[in-house]
Amino acid sequence: MSTQSVGSATSSNQYATGDQLTSLGSGSALQVTGLASGLDTNAIVNALMASQQQQVTNLTNQQTGLTAMNTQLTSIQAALSKVATDAQALGNPSLFANTQTINSTNPTLIGATATSNNGAVVGGYQISVTALASASQKTFSYTSPTSADTVTIDGQQVSLAAGASADDLVNAINSNSNLSVWATVTQESSNGGPATVVLSDRQTGVPAGNYIQVSDTSSALTDTGNDVPGTDAAYTINNGPPQYASSNTISGASLGGTTPPTQGQGATQTIPGVTLSLNGITGSTPVTVTVGAPAPSTQNIQTAIQQFVTDYNSAVTQIQTQLAQTPSSSDPTQGTLFGDQDLQQLLSNMREQMDATLGGLTGSVTSMLDIGVSTGAASGSSAPSQNSISGQLTLDVNALTQALTSNGSAVKSMLQSWSIHFSFMVDNEAAPGGTISTRIQGDDSQISYLADQISNLNAANTQKQQQLVNEFAQMEAALSSSQSTSSWLTSQINALP
């Protein structure tokens, strides 16, 4: 009778079945033959070790479940933190800071924005554009120099190597911030002939005197005479006198006088506090630019509230999904937060805060319901929606606009008070050091403890398995020796006369 280690087996925390016994320590398959005893020693050792291995399996499942729970809690914590941040933003005084709306009936032709935060003159302005500002241009033919060349443009020098192409010249000009022009190649050279290069002022408007003065040492550039002087933008405001500007972007401090300025001097009539972008000719139909009175931005407030509603609903859905997921006997990661009492209480508190009437406030706006934030109402005799039953919020934009229009200061006071209460309640759960963080830290400690327990059990099981293997091997050896002795004695007896 003999024992031996053969082959490669499964991982160190599993036991084989059938005719092969897995070694926990070495990962190799151990076989204990039953030639002497006739016993299935592999099956016996597996049966003896099964209960020991079940302890490891139970601890591993517990560890896996805790890890999955922490993953879900971390995700819920992040969602709730976002909701708390949104709620705090609704109480920020800057949300109700006065702003001015500036609108253009045709922003494609005329754009209008605030020049600064100092305010703009309220009113409506009819603007007609008859010309756009353009840059001065000069066209040159370009022949590649046979030797090094220096091109001087408005007093600034550009160096060219022998054989430099038109593209080389253009790249050298456009990459030089000291130059007053841009360059482009409009026609490539063909059959060794000259290319066409156009230089244009980097500033638009009617030039003062001569413009784009060019010279070079090897006459690589030749003026074709196709000069195009720059033009000023021409426009009127409220059918006033014609105005001219060297740029298509116009901003200024006053409306100016009634005497038309001299073309080319850049005198402008503007809307105080407003920057106009002239993008096209208006023709016979002027563009209306409207500057509203300073007031809190209804759109900004609506956007902030809608962001809160969206993130609130997302967090509630995530929590309810985990609360409703039933545990699985085969998958320890499922249902780890099923019916969790802490999260159930949190949902209840959140919904209560959304419906609560705040104390210390006067007037008609004392809760989120008064500005159109609710779980929705059934229409007529219809039943409440499922979203309403599950606590999903909706925003009635018309109700919010009406509340802001009729009593914006009351809306501001209510939101600031509500923001404090709601964000404090959610932060107690989701902020660092809150309930969820404490739970996660406790679970992490338990996960670490279980890892140590699993490691210790695996080591003990490996030792126990080897002990059983050795004992059966010794038994088989003893039986084999006894059988050999018996056979010898029998042969001796049979040999007697």
Side-chain angles (χ1 to χ4, degrees):
M1 181 298 175
S2 65
T3 63
Q4 61 179 354
S5 175
V6 295
S8 175
T10 55
S11 62
S12 62
N13 63 346
Q14 295 180 341
Y15 294 89
T17 59
D19 62 355
Q20 190 172 11
L21 183 67
T22 301
S23 169
L24 292 177
S26 65
S28 59
L30 296 177
Q31 287 189 327
V32 181
T33 62
L35 296 178
S37 66
L39 299 175
D40 186 350
T41 52
N42 284 344
I44 294 173
V45 173
N46 284 336
L48 292 172
M49 295 301 300
S51 62
Q52 302 294 322
Q53 176 59 19
Q54 188 59 46
Q55 297 180 39
V56 175
T57 301
N58 292 340
L59 291 179
T60 301
N61 288 341
Q62 186 179 352
Q63 183 186 50
T64 302
L66 286 173
T67 301
M69 179 188 294
N70 272 6
T71 299
Q72 294 299 335
L73 285 175
T74 300
S75 179
I76 290 172
Q77 183 182 35
L80 289 173
S81 296
K82 194 172 183 181
V83 174
T85 299
D86 292 342
Q88 291 167 2
L90 295 182
N92 194 323
S94 64
L95 183 62
F96 285 82
N98 285 338
T99 61
Q100 284 185 278
T101 57
I102 302 176
N103 298 311
S104 168
T105 56
N106 193 340
T108 301
L109 295 179
I110 299 178
T113 58
T115 301
S116 66
N117 295 325
N118 296 327
V121 176
V122 177
Y125 303 87
Q126 300 285 319
I127 302 173
S128 296
V129 179
T130 57
L132 296 177
S134 63
S136 298
Q137 302 175 26
K138 279 193 174 184
T139 303
F140 298 83
S141 63
Y142 176 80
T143 303
S144 179
T146 58
S147 60
D149 186 15
T150 299
V151 178
T152 303
I153 304 174
D154 292 337
Q156 296 291 326
Q157 293 183 339
V158 177
S159 298
L160 293 176
S165 66
D167 286 333
D168 293 332
L169 171 64
V170 167
N171 291 334
I173 291 174
N174 291 339
S175 62
N176 189 337
S177 60
N178 294 322
L179 291 178
S180 60
V181 298
W182 298 113
T184 184
V185 177
T186 60
Q187 181 179 330
E188 298 287 348
S189 60
S190 60
N191 298 324
T196 301
V197 174
V198 176
L199 303 183
S200 60
D201 271 329
R202 296 191 180 187
Q203 301 295 327
T204 57
V206 173
N210 295 329
Y211 57 94
I212 311 181
Q213 301 301 301
V214 177
S215 64
D216 69 279
T217 58
S218 66
S219 300
L221 285 174
T222 302
D223 194 340
T224 64
N226 295 326
D227 298 350
V228 180
T231 61
D232 284 347
Y235 66 98
T236 62
I237 297 179
N238 289 340
N239 295 319
Q243 303 294 314
Y244 302 94
S246 61
S247 171
N248 291 315
T249 301
I250 302 168
S251 60
S254 66
L255 288 172
T258 58
T259 302
T262 301
Q263 185 173 1
Q265 295 182 349
T268 59
Q269 177 185 3
T270 64
I271 304 172
V274 176
T275 296
L276 299 176
S277 298
L278 308 185
N279 305 318
I281 307 301
T282 58
S284 60
T285 304
V287 173
T288 300
V289 173
T290 305
V291 181
S297 171
T298 300
Q299 183 58 54
N300 289 348
I301 296 171
Q302 177 185 328
T303 299
I305 294 176
Q306 185 60 62
Q307 184 65 56
F308 166 79
V309 169
T310 299
D311 292 337
Y312 177 99
N313 289 342
S314 177
V316 167
T317 298
Q318 185 175 348
I319 293 172
Q320 289 175 336
T321 298
Q322 294 304 315
L323 290 175
Q325 188 179 73
T326 56
S328 169
S329 58
S330 61
D331 187 354
T333 66
Q334 298 296 308
T336 58
L337 292 173
F338 177 74
D340 188 274
Q341 293 184 353
D342 177 61
L343 294 179
Q344 286 180 331
Q345 184 61 49
L346 173 64
L347 288 182
S348 177
N349 292 341
M350 290 172 64
R351 187 161 188 169
E352 181 180 344
Q353 285 291 326
M354 296 310 306
D355 297 336
T357 298
L358 301 169
L361 300 177
T362 59
S364 59
V365 182
T366 58
S367 73
M368 294 294 282
L369 298 174
D370 296 327
I371 62 171
V373 179
S374 68
T375 56
S379 177
S381 59
S382 61
S385 66
Q386 184 58 45
N387 285 344
S388 176
I389 295 174
S390 61
Q392 298 284 304
L393 297 179
T394 62
L395 171 61
D396 186 337
V397 175
N398 292 331
L400 173 62
T401 302
Q402 182 178 358
L404 289 171
T405 302
S406 61
N407 198 344
S409 61
V411 174
K412 176 182 178 181
S413 297
M414 186 280 294
L415 282 176
Q416 289 178 335
S417 177
W418 172 87
S419 170
I420 295 172
H421 289 83
F422 186 89
S423 60
F424 178 78
M425 180 265 296
V426 175
D427 278 340
N428 276 342
E429 189 78 18
T435 302
I436 293 180
S437 290
T438 301
R439 290 182 61 176
I440 292 174
Q441 291 171 3
D443 289 343
D444 284 340
S445 297
Q446 182 67 8
I447 290 170
S448 178
Y449 171 77
L450 289 173
D452 292 338
Q453 292 294 99
I454 291 170
S455 178
N456 293 336
L457 276 175
N458 278 331
N461 288 346
T462 298
Q463 183 177 3
K464 178 65 174 178
Q465 181 194 40
Q466 189 60 50
Q467 178 183 349
L468 290 172
V469 168
N470 291 338
E471 289 175 352
F472 276 102
Q474 292 170 7
M475 179 194 73
E476 291 289 342
L479 286 175
S480 178
S481 176
S482 175
Q483 290 171 353
S484 297
T485 301
S486 175
S487 296
W488 180 82
L489 288 175
T490 299
S491 66
Q492 292 299 314
I493 293 172
N494 291 334
L496 292 174

